Amino acid sequence: MNLADSELVSSILIEAGHKLVSNIDEADLIIFNTCSVREHAENRVLGRIATEKFRKSINPELKIAVIGCMAQRMGKRLIDNYGVDYVVGVDQYLDFPKLIYENKGAITDPDFTQTYSGIRPYHQSKTCAYITIMRGCNNFCSYCIVPYVRGRERSLPAKLIIEEVKKCGQIGLKDITLLGQNVNSYSYQDINFPKLLRQLNGIDSIYRIRFITSHPKDLSDELIEVMAESSNICEHIHLPLQSGDNDILAAMNRNYTIEHYINIINKLRNAIPDIAITTDIMTGFPGESETAFNHTLQAMQEIQFDYAFCFKYSPRENTKAATLPDQIPEEIRLERLKRMVNLQREISRKKYEAKIGSEVEVYVESMSKKSARQVSGKTRDFKIAVLDGTEQDLGTIKKARVIASTGNTLLCYDRS
Ligand code: 5AD
Ligand code: SF4
């Protein structure tokens, strides 16, 4: 979502006459687009700001801006305490050019109706596009800062989304990822998320559609049906589990049980054979006992995710979880995180190895970073694949056979 927001802000600034440079030494303005979900991400940005400030002595005109959730959360404190020039909150990007022109400091007033509808993002990639379909979140998971910094859910007009997807397809961005904190609750007039997907699936110029993020509490049968029926919707879903323990899930305010989650997985796997399931999981939520943590490991074993983004709980200002007793000490959180990561690594390795010998369809996204004679892309089930190829292959679909796996990349042989 931050990447999509960076493209939105790039578009607003380019429209106002600014230019992107490919080398940071040429920049007169360095913009940090930030995330507040975990403290670690915020600390890294503060470190980066401190290291980039030396450039001001070389180029006295240089300005540093912070945008995104951390800008929203910290506001003017970033100017007073960290020497930043501009701070722009998540709902104020349209006024960023004015702020630069007037050389003023911070604008972070929340506007919970802002959708930026009608602004065409500046798509950085030549092959794939991220398209925001909704902003904000109403779920208030007890650990999460997002609803506080991004406000309530609002969906973008379906007509504009469909137009943007069509335009992307026409310029060669044939792999679309729809974005929202909770895409299942997309709703614009009488169009819900499955209906939107049905309409997007009919667009000829597009090869592939994905979406993130789904919430297990309201992933509907209708959505599963649409996924199963629609040839352009990839066999992949990202469905954050967060914890495998029902008491922790309740304390997290997730509004589902592990039984409900597994039931959805079964439905998905029955309807869409070979669907890849990826997830977010957290350890160290306040009150998480060793038994509760083991329930998460058991759930991971049982479900066999293709990939999991594993996090250790990070207390966030103003959230309910930060005020709960029984916060878990850092060493325990870290040690549990390691166990979780190791378990998932092993599961992912087996999942990737199981692909060896099979036929896959690779959408070629970019040149490989490792070899000038290879290209890199993804399979329909969201696995990175590398095969021989040239620039001419970018944006095309290759039928390939998997010949080896490194655990997180498939090495393929082109058979198209
Ligand atoms: N601490 C750690 N991880 C968090 N996430 C959200 N809030 C926190 C937090 N306070 C994770 C969740 C979410 C992902 C985007 O970030 O797993 O799905
Ligand atoms: Fe945060 Fe929960 Fe909303 Fe996701 S659904 S953004 S974890 S509050």
Side-chain angles (χ1 to χ4, degrees), residues 157-175:
K159 193 165 159 269
L160 291 181
I161 297 168
I162 294 165
E163 269 169 26
E164 183 58 30
V165 172
K166 277 188 187 155
K167 282 184 188 148
C168 286
Q170 283 155 8
I171 58 168
L173 310 173
K174 292 174 181 293
D175 179 307

Side-chain angles (χ1 to χ4, degrees), residues 148-163:
Y148 300 94
V149 283
R150 295 216 162 231
R152 296 299 74 74
E153 275 173 9
R154 57 267 190 195
S155 297
L156 277 92
K159 193 165 159 269
L160 291 181
I161 297 168
I162 294 165
E163 269 169 26

Side-chain angles (χ1 to χ4, degrees), residues 34-281:
T34 58
C35 172
S36 285
V37 164
R38 284 167 293 275
E39 193 184 4
H40 179 65
E42 292 201 342
N43 288 340
R44 279 182 54 193
V45 171
L46 295 175
R48 229 357 243 291
I49 293 169
T51 56
E52 297 301 348
K53 268 201 293 194
F54 82 94
R55 296 178 187 279
K56 281 176 172 269
S57 57
I58 304 166
N59 174 5
E61 298 289 300
L62 178 73
K63 304 283 183 201
I64 294 180
V66 177
I67 64 173
C69 292
M70 193 178 166
Q72 190 65 43
R73 191 179 81 77
M74 293 183 64
K76 209 167 155 292
R77 275 185 284 165
L78 286 163
I79 296 177
D80 299 341
N81 303 341
Y82 297 94
V84 165
D85 299 287
Y86 307 133
V87 177
V88 190
V90 295
D91 299 318
Q92 298 298 334
Y93 296 146
L94 293 174
D95 280 340
F96 195 1
K98 192 161 148 241
L99 194 83
I100 298 171
Y101 183 72
E102 292 175 357
N103 201 10
K104 287 226 187 82
I107 30 169
T108 55
D109 300 330
D111 172 358
F112 290 174
T113 61
Q114 179 60 272
T115 59
Y116 299 105
S117 75
I119 309 267
R120 289 208 60 207
Y122 167 82
H123 298 289
Q124 286 176 43
S125 161
K126 301 274 178 282
T127 50
C128 304
Y130 290 97
I131 297 180
T132 302
I133 63 165
M134 59 190 299
R135 302 181 76 85
C137 183
N138 292 351
N139 291 321
F140 288 93
C141 300
S142 63
Y143 51 80
C144 184
I145 200 169
V146 169
Y148 300 94
V149 283
R150 295 216 162 231
R152 296 299 74 74
E153 275 173 9
R154 57 267 190 195
S155 297
L156 277 92
K159 193 165 159 269
L160 291 181
I161 297 168
I162 294 165
E163 269 169 26
E164 183 58 30
V165 172
K166 277 188 187 155
K167 282 184 188 148
C168 286
Q170 283 155 8
I171 58 168
L173 310 173
K174 292 174 181 293
D175 179 307
I176 304 290
T177 304
L178 306 173
L179 301 173
Q181 306 296 347
N182 179 10
V183 289
N184 304 130
S185 44
Y186 174 86
S187 170
Y188 191 83
Q189 292 169 347
D190 57 344
I191 304 201
N192 65 8
F193 187 54
K195 283 206 180 81
L196 177 70
L197 284 179
R198 268 206 182 95
Q199 299 203 22
L200 296 175
N201 185 54
I203 299 175
D204 289 345
S205 55
I206 295 298
Y207 295 157
R208 289 179 171 187
I209 300 169
R210 299 178 199 279
F211 47 88
I212 41 177
T213 292
S214 297
H215 195 304
K217 79 176 162 55
D218 47 20
L219 191 146
S220 66
D221 290 349
E222 190 189 2
L223 175 65
I224 299 177
E225 228 170 80
V226 177
M227 289 180 75
E229 280 167 18
S230 309
S231 56
N232 288 353
I233 300 178
C234 288
E235 293 76 26
H236 167 225
I237 193 156
H238 185 70
L239 195 62
L241 169 65
Q242 311 299 3
S243 167
D245 182 85
N246 281 337
D247 292 338
I248 296 290
L249 284 172
M252 285 177 163
N253 194 29
R254 290 290 288 175
N255 282 303
Y256 56 84
T257 58
I258 182 66
E259 291 78 17
H260 172 80
Y261 186 95
I262 290 176
N263 188 30
I264 301 176
I265 300 290
N266 291 338
K267 281 192 201 171
L268 282 161
R269 287 186 168 148
N270 284 335
I272 309 155
D274 293 333
I275 186 170
I277 297 168
T278 57
T279 198
D280 294 345
I281 322 182

